[in-house]
């Protein structure tokens, strides 16, 4: 059973930086596709960033140039480096994993493609 546990959320002022971590365990074969999503109460969950098996990253337009997704050297930890944070980045951030994503969706960040989810970590950015 694949398990994902996020950490690193917190409160920060606008313009600040946070790094989220997601530890993946319980897998025999490493999930190739991993991503970060975020959700604000009352709104649908939004794809933020995703990474594939060859470390190619995809970003939502709203975070391009500010956020970076990458895996640790052991490939068991996923990170989201968030710079120049804005108040609109405030949300619950979720880590997600998938063993396969259809090729047509690999340049997108589609919630229904991911089958394993963490519990989330809250990010609050004050202006």
């Amino acid at each position: 059973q694949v398990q994902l546990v996020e950490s690193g959320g917190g409160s920060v002022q606008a313009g600040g930086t946070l790094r989220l971590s997601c530890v993946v365990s319980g897998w025999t074969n490493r999930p190739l596709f991993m991503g970060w999503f975020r959700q604000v109460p009352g709104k649908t969950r939004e794809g933020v960033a995703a990474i594939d098996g060859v470390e190619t990253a995809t970003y939502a337009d709203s975070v391009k140039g500010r956020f970076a997704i990458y895996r640790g050297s052991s490939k068991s930890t996923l990170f989201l480096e968030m710079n120049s944070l804005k108040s609109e980045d405030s949300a619950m951030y979720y880590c997600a994993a998938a063993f396969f994503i259809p090729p047509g969706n690999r340049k997108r960040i589609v919630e229904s493609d991911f089958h394993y989810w963490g519990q989330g970590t809250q990010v609050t950015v004050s202006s």
Side-chain angles (χ1 to χ4, degrees):
Q1 181 74 16
V2 175
Q3 292 185 326
L4 296 86
V5 179
E6 304 97 333
S7 63
S11 297
V12 64
Q13 289 192 327
T17 296
L18 280 175
R19 187 177 75 162
L20 306 184
S21 301
C22 172
V23 176
V24 185
S25 62
W27 46 268
T28 300
N29 298 309
R30 172 173 64 90
L32 291 180
F33 303 91
M34 296 198 67
W36 288 97
F37 291 76
R38 64 187 181 188
Q39 188 170 26
V40 175
K43 294 191 176 181
T44 57
R45 192 145 42 182
E46 172 193 19
V48 174
I51 192 166
D52 67 12
V54 293
E55 310 302 305
T56 300
T58 300
Y59 297 97
D61 288 343
S62 59
V63 306
K64 278 180 183 176
R66 299 189 298 122
F67 289 13
I69 184 172
Y70 58 97
R71 281 186 244 247
S73 57
S74 70
K75 307 301 182 186
S76 297
T77 304
L78 180 72
F79 298 98
L80 184 69
E81 182 88 17
M82 305 186 295
N83 301 300
S84 302
L85 282 161
K86 305 175 181 179
S87 57
E88 52 262 44
D89 294 319
S90 296
M92 184 70 78
Y93 281 72
Y94 297 91
C95 174
F99 288 95
F100 175 78
I101 290 180
N105 281 357
R106 293 179 188 176
K107 296 293 186 185
R108 304 162 59 200
I109 311 169
V110 180
E111 181 180 356
S112 59
D113 285 336
F114 291 84
H115 308 122
Y116 303 94
W117 294 85
Q119 294 300 306
T121 185
Q122 179 68 40
V123 171
T124 302
V125 183
S126 57
S127 55

